[in-house]
Amino acid sequence: MAVDPRFLKGLELFNHGEYFECHEVIENLWLEVSESDPNRDLYKGVIQAAAAIYQWDRGILSGARGLYRTAVTYLEKYRPEALGLNTKKLVLEMKQLFADLDRWDGRGEMPRDKKLTPVLEFCHPRNL
């Protein structure tokens, strides 16, 4: 199956810490594919993973936590790999990053440990 270049571009943006831009690029793809596309929820999962990190960085902690939870739900369906993306690793690293925030009591600030930020592993189409 051919991988849409927008998906790959979004993954590269994610790895460069450009979470808002990642979200925008992959969301444009997601909006164009039919509801029957087998990768639609994969796109949604990556979109929400990027948005979760972006919201955390903006200090919108309850929103970040909610996006994280739905991202993992979408991505779990595609483990261990989909369209060249190592979804198993992404889910594991998202869970590690969000472990403290997932237990957050809703009070005070909760800084993100940037050392735990997921690094996406994916194969470019020429390697698939």
Side-chain angles (χ1 to χ4, degrees):
M1 172 179 254
V3 179
D4 191 292
R6 292 172 290 182
F7 183 62
L8 296 173
K9 178 66 176 173
L11 300 180
E12 290 174 357
L13 289 166
F14 187 106
N15 278 348
H16 287 104
E18 298 178 41
Y19 305 110
F20 180 80
E21 292 80 3
C22 167
H23 169 278
E24 291 293 300
V25 168
I26 298 177
E27 184 178 55
N28 286 334
L29 170 60
W30 178 79
L31 289 169
E32 288 181 19
V33 299
S34 76
E35 291 191 20
S36 62
D37 186 300
N39 296 304
R40 186 172 168 85
D41 284 347
L42 172 65
Y43 303 146
K44 183 87 169 186
V46 175
I47 290 166
Q48 292 192 341
I53 297 170
Y54 178 72
Q55 293 292 40
W56 191 344
D57 288 346
R58 294 181 63 218
I60 305 171
L61 303 181
S62 60
R65 183 169 55 186
L67 287 163
Y68 150 71
R69 290 175 179 166
T70 56
V72 167
T73 299
Y74 282 116
L75 293 167
E76 287 279 6
K77 297 187 270 184
Y78 293 92
R79 288 177 67 159
E81 179 275 333
L83 295 181
L85 174 64
N86 183 337
T87 51
K88 179 180 178 181
K89 180 179 181 289
L90 175 55
V91 167
L92 175 65
E93 290 180 357
M94 287 294 289
K95 287 180 177 180
Q96 290 171 339
L97 175 64
F98 279 83
D100 288 338
L101 186 57
D102 208 29
R103 293 186 296 271
W104 176 62
D105 65 5
R107 295 186 302 233
E109 294 183 19
M110 172 79 57
R112 177 169 72 88
D113 184 347
K114 295 188 182 194
K115 293 181 298 219
L116 295 177
T117 302
V119 176
L120 304 183
E121 279 184 10
F122 59 97
C123 297
H124 291 279
R126 65 185 174 274
N127 297 330
L128 292 176

